[in-house]
Structures are given as structure tokens and as C-alpha cells.
């Protein structure tokens, strides 16, 4: 199973302040452990949202509206990601829980998300066939009312 760890931004990241050298070294050691274990597929840091461009689709037929960054506060912004391959959700969680605080100020936050595999219906992994069908039907009903 593939998972993505989304490393959340904070105000320091959005201001372009790099983590302290001890934080960078701890993060590099963590990444090395993941690579040596054969879990880490890819990882990258992003630039602050000030260097980004947001496209918003408000009309299905027309072009998207473009907005240059920064995009408000750091809340909800992503600073980087790690793509990993794990045998189970438990293993992915164990690796995510080992990640050092990316910034070292008690302000770090990450999100662990499983990637949807193309042959797998969305959000039905581990459900019984009846539960999966009920979830599918509920989704169809919600779409009718939107």
C-alpha cells in the first residue's frame, strides 16, 4: 500500500525561515532510515506559498481563475511530502510517528494519507461487500442533492 505523509507548513516556513541545522540533520537521518528500510519512494520540500499559483475552477466549461501566492496564513498549507510503500496502515503509522518535528518549535504537523489505488473503489478498503455497497449508495444520494 502506498501512503503520503503531508508535512504541514507553519508561519516560519511561510516566511522562508529554514529549520535549524539540528532539525535538518534529524530529518535527514529519518529519511535515510526510511530509504534503508525500502519504505521511502520519494520525498520533496516545497517553496512557501508566496512562490505558488492557485487555480480555482468555478465554471466547469471555462478556464480556471489564477491567484498568485501567498495564500493567506500557514494553516492548511503544505511544506513538503514523503511518498512511502508499507505493508499495512499500522506500518505506515509507525513510520509517520517516528518523524521528528520538522521545525523543532513544537509547531510541526503532518498528515498521513493512503493513496487510492486505481483498482480499488474509493474509501472502501477493509469494508465488507455490504458496507462498501451502502457507502457507494450514500455517495450517490449525496451527489443528487448537491
Amino acid at each position: 500500500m502506498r501512503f503520503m505523509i503531508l508535512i504541514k507548513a507553519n508561519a516560519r516556513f511561510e516566511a522562508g525561515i529554514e529549520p535549524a541545522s539540528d532539525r535538518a540533520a534529524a530529518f535527514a537521518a529519518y529519511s535515510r532510515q526510511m530509504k534503508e528500510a525500502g519504505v521511502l519512494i520519494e520525498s520533496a520540500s516545497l517553496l512557501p506559498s508566496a512562490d505558488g499559483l492557485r487555480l480555482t475552477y468555478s465554471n466547469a466549461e471555462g478556464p480556471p481563475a489564477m491567484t498568485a501566492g501567498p495564500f493567506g496564513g500557514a494553516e492548511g498549507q503544505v511544506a513538503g511530502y514523503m511518498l512511502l510503500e508499507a505493508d499495512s496502515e499500522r506500518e505506515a503509522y509507525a513510520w509517520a510517528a517516528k518523524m521528528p518535528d520538522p521545525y523543532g518549535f513544537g509547531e510541526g504537523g503532518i498528515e498521513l494519507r493512503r493513496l487510492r489505488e486505481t483498482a480499488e473503489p474509493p474509501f472502501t478498503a477493509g469494508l465488507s461487500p455490504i458496507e462498501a455497497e451502502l457507502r457507494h449508495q450514500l455517495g450517490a444520494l449525496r451527489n443528487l442533492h448537491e
Side-chain angles (χ1 to χ4, degrees):
M1 292 180 251
R2 293 181 305 157
F3 294 85
M4 183 170 282
I5 296 174
L6 298 169
I7 302 164
K8 306 304 271 186
N10 66 12
R12 286 176 173 78
F13 172 83
E14 283 293 301
I17 299 170
E18 295 288 329
S21 60
D22 64 330
R23 290 287 92 199
F27 200 81
Y30 169 72
S31 296
R32 230 179 355 268
Q33 283 181 320
M34 292 179 78
K35 283 181 186 175
E36 290 169 0
V39 176
L40 185 62
I41 298 170
E42 177 182 27
S43 66
S45 295
L46 302 175
L47 293 173
S49 70
D51 293 317
L53 182 65
R54 178 175 285 164
L55 284 74
T56 308
Y57 297 87
S58 57
N59 181 344
E61 302 301 321
M66 290 186 278
T67 306
F71 308 126
E75 183 69 27
Q77 302 297 335
V78 177
Y81 71 92
M82 300 180 93
L83 183 61
L84 56 124
E85 179 80 36
D87 292 330
S88 66
E89 289 180 358
R90 183 181 302 253
E91 180 187 6
Y93 172 77
W95 279 107
K98 290 179 186 180
M99 181 183 285
D101 179 350
Y103 307 106
F105 299 103
E107 299 171 355
I110 64 172
E111 193 173 311
L112 177 66
R113 306 271 299 272
R114 184 171 169 200
L115 273 66
R116 182 181 302 159
E117 303 299 337
T118 56
E120 180 180 296
F123 310 112
T124 59
L127 298 179
S128 72
I130 292 171
E131 290 170 320
E133 178 59 26
L134 286 172
R135 188 171 286 200
H136 173 74
Q137 289 178 10
L138 283 171
L141 287 172
R142 283 190 190 112
N143 289 337
L144 285 175
H145 296 289
E146 291 179 354

